[in-house]
Amino acid sequence: MTVEIRTQSIKPVRQTFAHLARRFGDKPSSRYQEATYNLQSEVNRHYKPLWDPDRDIYDRRRTAVVMADWYALKDPRNHYYATWTAARSKAQEALDTQMQFAEQRGLLRELPEAARDAIVFALVPLRHYEWGANTNGCHISAYAWGTAVSQAASMATMDRLGMAQHLSRIGLLADGNSGESLARAKQAWMAHPAWQGVRREVETMFVTRDWFELLVAQALVADALVYALFYGHFDRAFARQHGPALAALLDFLVKWQDETARWVDACVKTAAAESAENRALITGWVMRWRAAWLTALRPLADATMGADGAAALDAVDAALGQRLAKLGIAG
Amino acid sequence: MSTAKKLSLKENYALLTRGLGWEPSYQPKEEIFRTTRFEGIKIHDWDKWEDPFRLTMDAYWKYQGEKDKKLYAILDAFAQNNGQFNVSDVRYIQALKIFLTGISPLEYASHRGFCILGREFEGVGPRIAAQMQAIDELRHAQTQIHALSPYNRYFEGMSDFTHQADRVWYLSIPKSFFDDALSGGPFEYITAISFAFEYVLTNLVFMPWMSGAAYNGDMSTVSFGFSAQSDEARHMTLGIEVIKFLLEQDPDNVPIVQKWIDKWFWRGYRLLSLLAAMMDYMLPKRVMSWSEAWEVYFEKNGGALFDDLARYGIRMPKYADVTVKEKGHVGHQLWATFYQFRHAVGFPVWLPSEEEMDWLSERYPDTFDKFYRPRLEHWRELEKQGKPFVNTTLPQLCQVCQWPLLFTEPDDPTTICVREESYLGEKFHCCSDGCRDIFRDEPEKYVHAHLPVSQIYQGNYFLPDADPSAPGFNPLVEALRYMGIQPGVDGGDFAGHADAVNWERWTGRPASMHEPMQTAAPAPDRKTA
Amino acid sequence: MSTVAIRADYHGDMKDRVENFHGQQLLGIGWDRHLMYAAPHCIPVPPTLPFGALLSQVLPQLYGGHPDFARIDWAQAQWRKASGERFVPDPAKSVAENGLVHKDVIRFRTPGLDGLYGIGF
């Protein structure tokens, strides 16, 4: 038996906004739909950008990918601002518990020097990789066409900052807040031969103008390889030697990547399926960046995982290949 | 067992943030950051940037997540309990239409503008500050739409807000404002929006809307307002930090920044005239007059601010004196404009009641009874005679701010102010010295403006299905359709409007709290539920 | 003053060039001291329109609603351009022949007919 409440109900004149009714019919819309569709201005521009006179402020031509409707790249996670902050703060709460525990018990600080050195060399420099990814995500959010892709990229951009800060915290957990780990990690990023391939590719992405290409290069190819390599293989190798303390702190990154990959995959799959031209374009980008990143990561895989490095890299590359096949990309 | 060193908040933040960036060596820096040199602004050391707020992402997610949980609980309750029927009267809801069509799209535009800065600025600190503001603005755009969504289900003129934002003639005023900022370089953008808009002028936008919502029983909008306050506080600190950073980096920056302050103060002021009409004429329960608001939030607060900036060589913006001369006039002139063009706007327009005119007399002792009461009483008399005044011809627009040329000479409120400029053999007109100076400084930019009146006359304001050969073809009606305004439904007289009729039927209360219940039955072609 | 942009050849498109108006030109008209009309009007006119026809056929549609309009003696009206320059129209000549170019804005004053209530309404 249910308990009834009588309320005064007045029949609404309409169920939703006109632009949503034109797409989906006059029925109640989700908050994601209300927050996303058609927010970006599309026509009747007033001024040419002083910073790019050949294009408009918002311009479809900032990518070679062509979509009849860029809102087809809607976010399968249905993230708008409020659901995004809710998801992130929930994950962060769980992480904070782990971080506090690690700090109080000195779980990283008390590791043997070789273990701490491994963290500082292999993981902490990835805070710069994340800052690079923040830069690239921001480029996508700035120049993509349509609210759907731009806002997801904007949230992903802030996520990268969060990941960068998290990796910095891991360094501070290892060095007892002296900051020494961060300085050494930066030194490795800037000068150690094993890291230069990666830094070179990151800087190449900084001068890549096509925002969809950047999505492919950063969020599909590079992240798939880097995350699986370090937060999968390296983490497991580390745990075999030094115990699980680190794994508990890296889970946050792994879960975040899994969630974000759903959005990336939806964008790439939808765009590739739209036309043969898009598919060819995306495939070309995938092939180029995959080759570049494999070359860049090889010395790093060797330096951080020794004899197991090459096999680890092959394994993550194979996994990427399987993922690409599901997206309809033979890259 | 070792212990970790204790870190202060500032030290902690610096470690987690400041060292993230690096000097590139595989690509030229000028290829990575391509737009920070052309404006002539000189930055010698990006690291001199003082973080205006030190929010790490975990803290951001936590605080914002908590706020959103509370806000959405209120929004859900509002929708469930038909909160839209609890506001003072349905005229208040007309102000919300201006908000949704004119302000919310600007929040989104601002989001995009800060996304651009988040990428194009060079230093880690400024980029993070810009990115956080970008995501805050997205929050504002989305929460505003969600907060106003229940109103759309019952009232006209809100449903097609995205389409209208791009096409309605008076919405080119806010749209061109933000397009102007977005098309500027990064330093102009941040001076325009973070400093001039978010710092100098913000209270004039935020306070009237949110207080107006509180006074008029709009729990949805006022909750959005409370929820956005701490975001706005961050934005203000960014604005003042930016201006000091730019001015301290190089003395050559001072005249450039001054020029932008002059331009953006004036453009922002013209945009805010919309609020003068809202505060003085649209809020059933009024908060304060535009004149009072300008005195407090600009003359006093702004005065103190520019006294403080004098040490950098910055002076009060040009034409600040004009804004003071105009404060007794602008709201009245605007409402008179909306009134006579009411059949071409997206909301109904009305004349104030006796009681409301008495309020206006009291708040505008030097101007209302002399210059404006006679007009309103004249029009009210024409309405009583069944011959309501309308203006059916399109007005001349200002090339820069895109208002009709409705503003009067600063020293003569009986004469319209018109300024003419010539450029490459063509004439351009502005509403004021302020807009004229802006045009003179960058004519190549402003000739590109998409002036709705000109576009209508060029025949561009027709939907694909408009048929000029069809009987009864009316180009101005077709222009309204193109703009997303429902002809004969959205605008027009308040008396007998669908919103007024429906309101009285649904709530049993008068459509205007200052008038008796309307007794007119709905006309057959009105939309009612 | 030249606009500071990333390229020296920055320029916008002049969206309101006369070619875009299908043989017509834009004319702005304001009746000074008659603020019942919030702003000067903007109308498209054929350049060949006789100025007299503007006065007798077009202006009544624009201003006929004002009590002063019917009493105007056009011989007494004072005209100037937006630039302030005095303008003396010849009703027999066309708009173009009167020297009015595309987007000209003209203002007229009707001495003795200064609007209602002594405030130029």
Side-chain angles (χ1 to χ4, degrees):
Chain A
M1 175 149 162
T2 54
V3 177
E4 230 185 69
I5 298 179
R6 294 265 171 99
T7 55
Q8 273 201 299
S9 166
I10 293 171
K11 184 160 171 282
V13 173
R14 63 188 61 78
Q15 295 290 345
T16 186
F17 293 104
H19 54 287
L20 293 172
R22 284 193 285 271
R23 274 185 188 272
F24 305 116
D26 186 33
K27 47 195 227 283
S29 301
S30 70
R31 285 220 160 105
Y32 172 76
Q33 288 172 331
E34 288 186 332
T36 304
Y37 286 87
N38 299 29
L39 289 205
Q40 181 210 285
S41 169
E42 300 213 343
V43 295
N44 300 340
R45 299 261 70 77
H46 290 288
Y47 317 109
K48 287 196 170 164
L50 299 180
W51 40 270
D52 188 8
D54 295 329
R55 299 268 184 273
D56 284 325
I57 294 163
Y58 309 108
D59 202 305
R60 286 181 170 92
R61 295 169 294 178
R62 292 206 172 93
T63 177
V65 171
V66 177
M67 292 294 297
D69 176 15
W70 277 100
Y71 288 95
L73 272 59
K74 61 185 189 291
D75 184 351
R77 306 164 300 175
N78 289 323
H79 269 332
Y80 55 97
Y81 182 95
T83 56
W84 170 71
T85 51
R88 296 292 174 267
S89 58
K90 187 166 175 214
Q92 184 71 44
E93 224 180 294
L95 174 63
D96 283 345
T97 312
Q98 301 289 350
M99 296 289 280
Q100 248 170 38
F101 186 70
E103 160 121 61
Q104 278 156 12
R105 299 284 284 267
L107 292 183
L108 298 191
R109 213 165 57 232
E110 301 288 322
L111 286 170
E113 193 181 347
R116 277 181 281 126
D117 285 348
I119 292 173
V120 171
F121 181 76
L123 293 185
V124 183
L126 289 171
R127 67 195 284 255
H128 302 293
Y129 171 83
E130 291 297 330
W131 182 245
N134 166 288
T135 305
N136 296 328
C138 205
H139 182 94
I140 298 168
S141 72
Y143 301 118
W145 179 270
T147 317
V149 178
S150 170
Q151 73 183 9
S154 179
M155 294 178 229
T157 298
M158 304 318 289
D159 288 343
R160 302 322 285 248
L161 176 59
M163 302 306 138
Q165 290 172 338
H166 178 53
L167 288 163
S168 311
R169 284 204 173 95
I170 287 179
L172 292 176
L173 281 176
D175 71 18
N177 286 345
S178 71
E180 194 208 335
S181 66
L182 306 181
R184 285 170 57 199
K186 182 132 192 206
Q187 184 54 23
W189 176 259
M190 293 305 290
H192 194 285
W195 275 102
Q196 296 318 297
V198 169
R199 180 159 77 87
R200 176 184 277 109
E201 290 311 320
V202 169
E203 291 180 17
T204 306
M205 284 197 280
F206 288 169
V207 299
T208 301
R209 312 291 175 206
D210 187 311
W211 65 264
F212 204 101
E213 178 178 358
L214 210 46
L215 182 74
V216 167
Q218 173 70 68
L220 178 57
V221 174
D223 285 348
L225 296 173
V226 168
Y227 270 66
L229 192 62
F230 288 100
Y231 311 125
H233 289 263
F234 174 84
D235 176 43
R236 281 195 292 278
F238 187 90
R240 278 196 294 276
Q241 269 202 285
H242 305 292
L246 188 60
L249 306 178
L250 298 180
D251 190 50
F252 177 72
L253 288 140
V254 173
K255 293 231 161 52
W256 173 78
Q257 176 61 218
D258 286 345
E259 190 223 77
T260 301
R262 291 175 51 208
W263 165 62
V264 177
D265 285 355
C267 288
V268 174
K269 185 172 185 187
T270 308
E274 173 95 342
S275 68
E277 289 81 13
N278 283 355
R279 187 187 307 275
L281 200 53
I282 293 170
T283 303
W285 288 333
V286 166
M287 287 174 66
R288 181 210 150 180
W289 289 98
R290 189 179 182 186
W293 273 93
L294 288 171
T295 304
L297 285 168
R298 182 61 197 269
L300 197 53
D302 292 341
T304 57
M305 282 173 271
D308 297 331
L313 191 55
D314 285 344
V316 305
D317 183 50
L320 174 59
Q322 284 175 351
R323 180 174 164 190
L324 291 170
K326 289 198 192 122
L327 304 181
I329 310 281
Chain B
M1 173 148 128
S2 63
T3 42
K5 179 178 151 213
K6 207 84 186 75
L7 290 172
S8 74
L9 239 54
K10 189 170 178 180
E11 285 169 316
N12 185 55
Y13 186 79
L15 285 171
L16 293 184
T17 308
R18 281 312 186 111
L20 288 176
W22 67 91
E23 282 300 305
S25 44
Y26 300 108
Q27 297 290 344
K29 198 164 179 184
E30 322 79 68
E31 283 303 305
I32 298 175
F33 301 107
R34 294 193 301 165
T35 62
T36 42
R37 281 169 303 282
F38 81 86
E39 295 174 279
I41 290 286
K42 295 176 179 150
I43 304 295
H44 301 291
D45 185 1
W46 283 92
D47 286 334
K48 279 282 186 313
W49 172 272
E50 286 280 330
D51 299 307
F53 46 88
R54 297 187 193 99
L55 216 46
T56 49
M57 277 316 294
D58 60 313
Y60 184 89
W61 286 323
K62 181 177 171 198
Y63 295 141
Q64 300 299 99
E66 276 166 11
K67 283 197 316 192
D68 276 345
K69 217 159 97 174
K70 291 185 191 144
L71 175 62
Y72 278 90
I74 296 174
L75 297 189
D76 285 342
F78 182 90
Q80 194 172 59
N81 291 286
N82 284 314
Q84 67 278 355
F85 298 136
N86 294 339
V87 302
S88 50
D89 73 42
V90 78
R91 296 176 306 157
Y92 167 78
I93 294 171
Q94 312 312 318
L96 293 181
K97 298 178 189 180
I98 298 181
F99 194 91
L100 186 61
T101 57
I103 307 279
S104 303
L106 296 195
E107 302 274 16
Y108 183 79
S110 185
H111 159 72
R112 293 297 291 258
F114 282 100
C115 286
I116 294 174
L117 260 55
R119 172 58 184 82
E120 301 299 342
F121 271 162
E122 297 175 31
V124 170
R127 291 179 56 195
I128 289 176
Q131 290 175 8
M132 278 198 178
Q133 178 137 358
I135 204 81
D136 286 346
E137 302 289 18
L138 182 69
R139 171 176 195 258
H140 293 174
Q142 294 180 340
T143 49
Q144 284 164 18
I145 293 166
H146 291 152
L148 296 177
S149 177
Y151 289 98
N152 168 59
R153 299 171 73 224
Y154 292 95
F155 302 104
E156 303 304 320
M158 302 175 81
S159 174
D160 221 352
F161 74 96
T162 62
H163 183 96
Q164 285 191 359
D166 259 348
R167 295 165 182 80
V168 167
W169 63 273
Y170 52 90
L171 296 179
S172 73
I173 295 160
K175 179 178 167 180
S176 66
F177 174 89
F178 243 96
D179 268 21
D180 195 345
L182 285 165
S183 57
F187 293 112
E188 179 175 4
Y189 180 88
I190 204 166
T191 305
I193 305 304
S194 284
F195 180 68
F197 204 62
E198 294 270 23
Y199 193 86
V200 182
L201 296 174
T202 189
N203 270 310
L204 286 145
V205 183
F206 204 73
M207 187 281 301
W209 286 114
M210 299 308 136
S211 308
Y215 276 48
N216 286 278
D218 179 0
M219 176 161 277
S220 194
T221 304
V222 78
S223 300
F224 157 77
F226 280 125
S227 169
Q229 268 183 322
S230 52
D231 301 335
E232 294 299 341
R234 278 201 298 280
H235 301 172
M236 285 184 75
T237 58
L238 174 57
I240 194 69
E241 165 55 33
V242 160
I243 214 73
K244 290 187 174 165
F245 175 71
L246 293 179
L247 296 172
E248 284 170 2
Q249 279 293 309
D250 194 300
D252 286 353
N253 293 344
V254 174
I256 301 174
V257 170
Q258 180 71 64
K259 187 183 77 164
W260 287 335
I261 290 175
D262 289 342
K263 169 180 170 182
W264 286 99
F265 169 77
W266 186 258
R267 275 218 81 161
Y269 165 69
R270 272 290 185 250
L271 175 65
L272 293 184
S273 307
L274 212 45
L275 263 70
M278 194 271 285
M279 293 172 78
D280 288 343
Y281 284 87
M282 296 183 88
L283 294 179
K285 293 191 186 173
R286 287 152 167 81
V287 178
M288 57 166 64
S289 70
W290 169 256
S291 180
E292 290 169 86
W294 194 250
E295 271 162 34
V296 172
Y297 294 109
F298 177 67
E299 291 176 67
K300 287 206 187 77
N301 290 4
L305 166 68
F306 284 99
D307 282 344
D308 186 42
L309 292 178
R311 62 196 156 106
Y312 295 109
I314 292 292
R315 53 153 172 76
M316 194 68 148
K318 246 190 324 179
Y319 305 121
D321 57 321
V322 173
T323 69
V324 174
K325 286 178 182 168
E326 286 189 348
K327 71 186 177 197
H329 298 278
V330 134
H332 315 290
Q333 292 172 350
L334 242 80
W335 193 248
T337 306
F338 280 130
Y339 178 73
Q340 63 193 257
F341 292 117
R342 62 194 175 283
H343 297 291
V345 302
F347 52 94
V349 189
W350 58 92
L351 294 171
S353 66
E354 276 307 314
E355 198 180 330
E356 292 175 304
M357 286 202 284
D358 288 344
W359 184 91
L360 291 165
S361 291
E362 197 210 330
R363 300 308 169 107
Y364 290 98
D366 300 329
T367 57
F368 183 74
D369 283 332
K370 179 168 180 195
F371 295 105
Y372 302 107
R373 182 188 282 270
R375 306 187 185 197
L376 299 167
E377 287 176 343
H378 181 93
W379 282 333
R380 192 168 261 266
E381 186 52 39
L382 288 177
E383 281 189 352
K384 284 203 187 108
Q385 293 169 19
K387 298 182 286 183
F389 178 74
V390 288
N391 187 335
T392 55
T393 311
L394 300 180
Q396 190 78 28
L397 302 182
C398 173
Q399 187 73 26
V400 174
C401 69
Q402 305 207 15
W403 280 108
L405 300 184
L406 63 96
F407 302 100
T408 46
E409 291 283 355
D411 293 313
D412 177 9
T414 65
T415 300
I416 294 285
C417 183
V418 183
R419 298 288 183 263
E420 181 176 281
E421 288 292 303
S422 270
Y423 182 70
L424 295 184
E426 186 153 312
K427 294 189 186 221
F428 298 90
H429 299 90
C430 294
C431 68
S432 54
D433 289 342
C435 284
R436 180 209 55 197
D437 287 2
I438 292 170
F439 179 86
R440 275 184 181 165
D441 194 53
E442 295 176 300
E444 290 89 348
K445 187 167 175 180
Y446 294 98
V447 301
H448 195 81
H450 173 98
L451 295 181
V453 168
S454 311
Q455 294 294 321
I456 290 171
Y457 287 141
Q458 290 179 37
N460 295 335
Y461 266 37
F462 294 137
L463 290 174
D465 66 356
D467 179 7
S469 64
F473 176 81
N474 182 328
L476 289 183
V477 167
E478 288 303 321
L480 289 179
R481 279 187 62 227
Y482 169 85
M483 294 187 218
I485 294 176
Q486 303 176 89
V489 175
D490 284 346
D493 294 303
F494 181 71
H497 190 270
D499 283 359
V501 171
N502 284 333
W503 174 268
E504 293 192 349
R505 193 148 50 79
W506 291 331
T507 68
R509 304 200 319 273
S512 163
M513 62 186 284
H514 293 286
E515 306 276 6
M517 296 277 283
Q518 295 182 18
T519 54
D525 60 343
R526 297 279 182 191
K527 267 205 193 147
T528 58
Chain C
M1 179 177 268
S2 166
T3 303
V4 173
I6 205 163
R7 290 204 323 248
D9 66 347
Y10 175 91
H11 65 277
D13 304 328
M14 295 230 214
K15 293 208 174 108
D16 298 336
R17 292 183 327 275
V18 70
E19 303 89 81
N20 297 339
F21 291 90
H22 315 292
Q24 303 199 302
Q25 66 187 69
L26 290 184
L27 181 65
I29 309 184
W31 186 6
D32 282 352
R33 310 193 72 77
H34 286 80
L35 294 172
M36 188 179 293
Y37 304 92
H41 291 115
C42 176
I43 53 170
V45 294
T48 51
L49 179 74
F51 201 87
L54 183 75
L55 298 180
S56 63
Q57 283 158 41
V58 178
L59 292 203
Q61 291 173 51
L62 268 48
Y63 295 116
H66 196 287
D68 280 357
F69 189 78
R71 297 154 57 201
I72 293 177
D73 173 3
W74 288 110
Q76 302 299 319
Q78 295 165 353
W79 295 83
R80 60 191 165 116
K81 295 199 178 168
S83 59
E85 178 199 332
R86 204 164 152 248
F87 171 61
V88 183
D90 181 347
K93 294 204 169 117
S94 72
V95 162
E97 286 163 344
N98 268 295
L100 293 176
V101 299
H102 174 58
K103 294 172 78 188
D104 246 326
V105 171
I106 50 179
R107 313 170 72 149
F108 66 99
R109 177 177 285 240
T110 48
L113 298 173
D114 290 310
L116 302 173
Y117 311 115
I119 50 168
F121 180 59

Short mmCIF file of all heavy atoms in Angstrom, two decimals, chain B residues 41-43 187 190-191 241-251 253-254 257 260:
data_model
loop_
_atom_site.label_atom_id
_atom_site.label_comp_id
_atom_site.label_asym_id
_atom_site.label_seq_id
_atom_site.Cartn_x
_atom_site.Cartn_y
_atom_site.Cartn_z
N ILE B 41 50.85 44.23 -25.29
CA ILE B 41 51.04 44.07 -23.84
C ILE B 41 52.36 43.32 -23.60
O ILE B 41 52.64 42.33 -24.27
CB ILE B 41 49.86 43.28 -23.23
CG1 ILE B 41 48.59 44.14 -23.24
CG2 ILE B 41 50.19 42.81 -21.82
CD1 ILE B 41 48.55 45.25 -22.23
N LYS B 42 53.14 43.83 -22.66
CA LYS B 42 54.44 43.21 -22.36
C LYS B 42 54.37 42.49 -21.02
O LYS B 42 54.07 43.10 -20.00
CB LYS B 42 55.54 44.29 -22.31
CG LYS B 42 55.76 44.95 -23.66
CD LYS B 42 56.77 46.08 -23.57
CE LYS B 42 56.98 46.69 -24.96
NZ LYS B 42 57.32 48.12 -24.87
N ILE B 43 54.64 41.18 -21.09
CA ILE B 43 54.74 40.40 -19.85
C ILE B 43 56.17 39.90 -19.75
O ILE B 43 56.63 39.16 -20.61
CB ILE B 43 53.77 39.20 -19.86
CG1 ILE B 43 52.33 39.64 -20.09
CG2 ILE B 43 53.91 38.40 -18.57
CD1 ILE B 43 51.74 40.50 -19.01
N PHE B 187 44.42 39.58 -23.66
CA PHE B 187 44.55 40.60 -22.62
C PHE B 187 43.38 41.57 -22.64
O PHE B 187 42.92 42.02 -21.59
CB PHE B 187 45.88 41.35 -22.76
CG PHE B 187 47.07 40.48 -22.48
CD1 PHE B 187 47.94 40.13 -23.51
CD2 PHE B 187 47.30 39.97 -21.22
CE1 PHE B 187 49.03 39.31 -23.26
CE2 PHE B 187 48.39 39.15 -20.96
CZ PHE B 187 49.26 38.82 -21.99
N ILE B 190 40.43 39.70 -20.96
CA ILE B 190 40.41 39.58 -19.50
C ILE B 190 40.23 40.95 -18.85
O ILE B 190 39.63 41.06 -17.78
CB ILE B 190 41.65 38.81 -18.98
CG1 ILE B 190 41.34 38.20 -17.63
CG2 ILE B 190 42.90 39.67 -18.98
CD1 ILE B 190 42.31 37.16 -17.15
N THR B 191 40.71 42.01 -19.49
CA THR B 191 40.46 43.34 -18.96
C THR B 191 38.97 43.67 -19.05
O THR B 191 38.38 44.21 -18.12
CB THR B 191 41.28 44.40 -19.73
OG1 THR B 191 42.65 44.04 -19.71
CG2 THR B 191 41.11 45.79 -19.11
N GLU B 241 43.19 41.21 -9.49
CA GLU B 241 44.54 40.68 -9.61
C GLU B 241 45.08 40.88 -11.02
O GLU B 241 46.23 41.28 -11.22
CB GLU B 241 44.57 39.20 -9.25
CG GLU B 241 45.81 38.44 -9.66
CD GLU B 241 47.11 39.05 -9.17
OE1 GLU B 241 47.10 39.63 -8.06
OE2 GLU B 241 48.13 38.96 -9.88
N VAL B 242 44.24 40.62 -12.01
CA VAL B 242 44.65 40.77 -13.40
C VAL B 242 45.11 42.18 -13.69
O VAL B 242 46.17 42.39 -14.30
CB VAL B 242 43.48 40.41 -14.34
CG1 VAL B 242 43.69 40.99 -15.73
CG2 VAL B 242 43.33 38.93 -14.44
N ILE B 243 44.32 43.13 -13.26
CA ILE B 243 44.62 44.50 -13.64
C ILE B 243 45.94 44.94 -13.00
O ILE B 243 46.78 45.58 -13.63
CB ILE B 243 43.42 45.43 -13.30
CG1 ILE B 243 43.30 46.53 -14.34
CG2 ILE B 243 43.46 45.97 -11.92
CD1 ILE B 243 42.78 46.03 -15.66
N LYS B 244 46.15 44.53 -11.76
CA LYS B 244 47.40 44.89 -11.09
C LYS B 244 48.59 44.21 -11.75
O LYS B 244 49.64 44.82 -11.95
CB LYS B 244 47.31 44.55 -9.61
CG LYS B 244 46.35 45.47 -8.88
CD LYS B 244 46.36 45.27 -7.39
CE LYS B 244 45.47 46.34 -6.75
NZ LYS B 244 45.13 46.07 -5.37
N PHE B 245 48.40 42.94 -12.12
CA PHE B 245 49.47 42.20 -12.78
C PHE B 245 49.89 42.89 -14.07
O PHE B 245 51.08 43.15 -14.30
CB PHE B 245 49.01 40.76 -13.06
CG PHE B 245 49.98 39.94 -13.84
CD1 PHE B 245 51.17 39.51 -13.27
CD2 PHE B 245 49.70 39.54 -15.15
CE1 PHE B 245 52.08 38.72 -13.99
CE2 PHE B 245 50.59 38.75 -15.87
CZ PHE B 245 51.78 38.35 -15.29
N LEU B 246 48.91 43.24 -14.91
CA LEU B 246 49.22 43.87 -16.19
C LEU B 246 49.92 45.21 -15.99
O LEU B 246 50.88 45.55 -16.67
CB LEU B 246 47.94 44.07 -17.01
CG LEU B 246 47.25 42.81 -17.52
CD1 LEU B 246 45.98 43.16 -18.29
CD2 LEU B 246 48.17 41.98 -18.40
N LEU B 247 49.42 45.98 -15.02
CA LEU B 247 49.98 47.31 -14.83
C LEU B 247 51.37 47.26 -14.22
O LEU B 247 52.20 48.14 -14.48
CB LEU B 247 49.04 48.14 -13.94
CG LEU B 247 47.65 48.42 -14.54
CD1 LEU B 247 46.73 49.06 -13.51
CD2 LEU B 247 47.76 49.30 -15.77
N GLU B 248 51.62 46.24 -13.44
CA GLU B 248 52.93 46.14 -12.79
C GLU B 248 54.00 45.55 -13.70
O GLU B 248 55.19 45.74 -13.45
CB GLU B 248 52.82 45.32 -11.49
CG GLU B 248 52.18 46.12 -10.36
CD GLU B 248 51.83 45.26 -9.15
OE1 GLU B 248 52.13 44.04 -9.17
OE2 GLU B 248 51.27 45.80 -8.18
N GLN B 249 53.60 44.80 -14.72
CA GLN B 249 54.58 44.14 -15.58
C GLN B 249 55.39 45.12 -16.41
O GLN B 249 56.58 44.90 -16.64
CB GLN B 249 53.89 43.13 -16.51
CG GLN B 249 53.60 41.80 -15.82
CD GLN B 249 54.86 41.05 -15.46
OE1 GLN B 249 55.73 40.86 -16.31
NE2 GLN B 249 54.99 40.65 -14.22
N ASP B 250 54.77 46.18 -16.90
CA ASP B 250 55.53 47.13 -17.73
C ASP B 250 54.74 48.43 -17.84
O ASP B 250 53.54 48.39 -18.10
CB ASP B 250 55.76 46.53 -19.13
CG ASP B 250 56.82 47.29 -19.92
OD1 ASP B 250 56.64 48.51 -20.17
OD2 ASP B 250 57.83 46.67 -20.28
N PRO B 251 55.40 49.56 -17.68
CA PRO B 251 54.68 50.83 -17.80
C PRO B 251 54.06 51.03 -19.18
O PRO B 251 53.05 51.73 -19.30
CB PRO B 251 55.75 51.90 -17.54
CG PRO B 251 57.06 51.20 -17.50
CD PRO B 251 56.81 49.76 -17.27
N ASN B 253 52.28 49.08 -20.63
CA ASN B 253 50.94 48.46 -20.62
C ASN B 253 49.87 49.45 -20.18
O ASN B 253 48.69 49.26 -20.50
CB ASN B 253 50.92 47.25 -19.69
CG ASN B 253 51.79 46.11 -20.19
OD1 ASN B 253 52.19 46.09 -21.35
ND2 ASN B 253 52.09 45.16 -19.32
N VAL B 254 50.30 50.48 -19.46
CA VAL B 254 49.30 51.36 -18.84
C VAL B 254 48.36 52.03 -19.85
O VAL B 254 47.14 51.94 -19.70
CB VAL B 254 49.97 52.40 -17.91
CG1 VAL B 254 48.96 53.41 -17.37
CG2 VAL B 254 50.68 51.69 -16.75
N VAL B 257 45.95 49.42 -21.34
CA VAL B 257 44.94 49.00 -20.36
C VAL B 257 43.92 50.12 -20.13
O VAL B 257 42.72 49.88 -20.04
CB VAL B 257 45.61 48.56 -19.04
CG1 VAL B 257 44.57 48.37 -17.94
CG2 VAL B 257 46.40 47.27 -19.25
N TRP B 260 41.40 50.15 -22.85
CA TRP B 260 40.44 49.06 -22.69
C TRP B 260 39.47 49.34 -21.56
O TRP B 260 38.29 49.04 -21.67
CB TRP B 260 41.15 47.74 -22.43
CG TRP B 260 41.82 47.18 -23.64
CD1 TRP B 260 41.49 47.41 -24.95
CD2 TRP B 260 42.94 46.29 -23.66
NE1 TRP B 260 42.35 46.72 -25.79
CE2 TRP B 260 43.24 46.03 -25.02
CE3 TRP B 260 43.72 45.69 -22.67
CZ2 TRP B 260 44.28 45.19 -25.40
CZ3 TRP B 260 44.75 44.85 -23.04
CH2 TRP B 260 45.02 44.61 -24.40
#
